[in-house]
Amino acid sequence: MKERVHFCSVCGNFAEEDPCALCRDPGRDGSVVCVVEQPGDVLAFERTGQFRGRYHVLGGALSPLDGTHPEQLRIQALLERMRPAAATGVADAAAGGPAIREIILATNPNVAGEATALYLSKLLIPLGVRVTRIARGVPMGSDLEYSDLVTLGRALEGRREVE
Ligand SMILES: [Zn+2]
């Protein structure tokens, strides 16, 4: 039997229900959103057990050479999550979630991931939100999904403000 893959319309992660369990969980801090490239990165952060905020899955990273441009990533959906509930009616805001105070840029520590983080920080900082980037505990060029949990946990803990 074939099962269709469903995605959460809020965060873009794989989901059995929409919004997904992570977006609906009232025990998670909706004011902190960790931005990652792929659903697998959400799993990697969840396995560290160190993050209790919410996620936003971009679906890739900017790479003009490979033909990945901003409009192909879920960047507009991220900006919509920043707007007040009344303006958008999107699920996490509509669920009474708090305004987003911090965006953690957790794209991969390689060229495309860094380019994506830079692009997003230029869009987000003018909106008055705190923008942080995970520390370079993860070796350059590696895939977040496969980095070990201690390293990933430290990278999250050591995140720094993007200026
Ligand atoms: Zn979700």
Side-chain angles (χ1 to χ4, degrees), residues 8-15 18-24 55 81:
C8 173
S9 62
V10 179
C11 70
N13 195 11
F14 293 135
D18 188 16
C20 73
L22 288 171
C23 285
R24 279 183 291 117
Y55 295 95
R81 290 179 72 175

Side-chain angles (χ1 to χ4, degrees), residues 23-38:
C23 285
R24 279 183 291 117
D25 184 350
R28 301 191 72 101
D29 180 4
S31 72
V32 184
V33 173
C34 182
V35 177
V36 297
E37 293 181 20
Q38 303 293 349

Side-chain angles (χ1 to χ4, degrees), residues 23-123:
C23 285
R24 279 183 291 117
D25 184 350
R28 301 191 72 101
D29 180 4
S31 72
V32 184
V33 173
C34 182
V35 177
V36 297
E37 293 181 20
Q38 303 293 349
D41 299 328
V42 173
L43 284 178
F45 276 108
E46 282 302 286
R47 278 194 297 255
T48 69
Q50 289 189 22
F51 183 64
R52 295 300 297 160
R54 296 222 165 98
Y55 295 95
H56 191 82
V57 181
L58 293 170
L62 291 179
S63 180
L65 291 178
D66 301 339
T68 306
H69 302 285
E71 59 275 17
Q72 287 159 274
L73 303 177
R74 298 183 70 259
I75 292 173
Q76 196 54 43
L78 176 62
L79 296 177
E80 271 162 29
R81 290 179 72 175
M82 309 284 301
R83 283 154 59 191
T88 64
V90 291
D92 60 341
I100 294 173
R101 282 185 299 108
E102 179 180 355
I103 297 276
I104 302 170
L105 299 173
T107 49
N108 286 332
N110 54 26
V111 174
E114 295 295 348
T116 308
L118 185 67
Y119 181 87
L120 288 177
S121 66
K122 295 217 159 104
L123 282 180

